[in-house]
């Protein structure tokens, strides 16, 4: 499981790095590698949020996560403005569309994983049911055989 607070620290570190680098570069195209780190950290944090919600994490952690994600959204607005000012809004739109496509793919992967887990559970349940059915059948066959031999024993073989 991804630690939510570590994931949030990753986002904050990436934001700080982007702010530092953006002051030293003249062209926003040079921000590519650090933007990649930011979006990777954001993706990790989003996954951590989902896992934290599944594990019924504490309210304090949930509030911290939501606040950090809100801060990330505001930072993305600042980045969008930076791209607009440099006349590279088309690059920003491509970045956002690619990030959205990756989020959709991650959602599909999570759904497939959930379906796989459900299918495995169903298969295990079916195997257990078959084993119990076989056990009951064998027990019934044993009981019937016992009584049939008991009847033949009482008849002395003349039945």
């Amino acid at each position: 499981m991804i630690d939510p607070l570590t994931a949030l620290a990753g986002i904050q570190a990436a934001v700080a790095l982007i702010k530092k680098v953006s002051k030293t570069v003249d062209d926003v195209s040079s921000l590519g590698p650090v933007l990649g780190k930011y979006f990777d950290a954001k993706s990790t944090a989003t996954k951590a949020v989902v896992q934290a919600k599944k594990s019924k994490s504490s309210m304090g952690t949930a509030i911290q996560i939501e606040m950090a994600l809100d801060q990330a959204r505001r930072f993305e607005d600042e980045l969008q403005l930076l791209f607009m000012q440099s006349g590279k809004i088309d690059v920003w739109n491509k970045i956002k569309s690619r990030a959205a496509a990756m989020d959709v793919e991650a959602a599909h992967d999570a759904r497939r994983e959930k379906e796989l887990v459900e299918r495995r559970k169903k298969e295990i349940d079916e195997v257990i049911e078959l084993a119990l059915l076989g056990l009951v059948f064998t027990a019934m066959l044993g009981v019937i055989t016992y009584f049939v031999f008991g009847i033949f024993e009482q008849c002395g073989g003349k039945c």
Side-chain angles (χ1 to χ4, degrees):
M1 183 171 137
I2 303 167
D3 178 34
L5 299 178
T6 303
L8 296 177
I11 287 180
Q12 291 170 345
V15 167
L17 182 63
I18 291 172
K19 286 182 178 181
K20 185 186 296 185
V21 170
S22 67
K23 291 178 183 176
T24 61
V25 297
D26 294 330
D27 186 21
V28 291
S29 301
S30 304
L31 294 175
V34 290
L35 285 176
K37 289 182 181 183
Y38 166 75
F39 281 105
D40 286 344
K42 183 180 174 195
S43 174
T44 303
T46 305
K47 290 176 186 173
V49 167
V50 171
Q51 288 182 349
K53 287 180 181 176
K54 285 181 183 176
S55 68
K56 309 267 192 280
S57 129
S58 71
M59 184 64 157
T61 304
I63 290 172
Q64 282 182 300
I65 291 170
E66 290 302 326
M67 295 296 288
L69 289 176
D70 183 58
Q71 179 185 8
R73 282 188 286 275
R74 284 185 275 133
F75 175 70
E76 285 181 24
D77 292 340
E78 292 175 22
L79 277 176
Q80 182 180 8
L81 183 62
L82 186 66
F83 275 85
M84 280 183 185
Q85 290 171 342
S86 66
K88 303 268 185 173
I89 193 65
D90 58 326
V91 174
W92 176 255
N93 290 335
K94 288 178 184 176
I95 289 171
K96 289 301 287 183
S97 67
R98 186 167 307 236
M102 291 172 69
D103 288 344
V104 168
E105 186 177 326
H108 286 306
D109 289 344
R111 179 186 47 80
R112 283 187 213 108
E113 181 69 27
K114 183 178 177 183
E115 289 173 354
L116 181 65
V117 167
E118 289 174 359
R119 193 176 319 121
R120 284 183 189 155
K121 184 181 183 314
K122 185 177 179 181
E123 289 173 356
I124 289 172
D125 288 346
E126 287 175 356
V127 168
I128 290 172
E129 286 177 12
L130 287 174
L132 289 175
L133 184 62
L135 184 64
V136 168
F137 177 76
T138 304
M140 292 295 289
L141 189 62
V143 169
I144 290 171
T145 303
Y146 174 76
F147 283 115
V148 167
F149 280 123
I151 291 172
F152 278 127
E153 191 176 281
Q154 284 183 358
C155 292
K158 298 181 183 178
C159 301

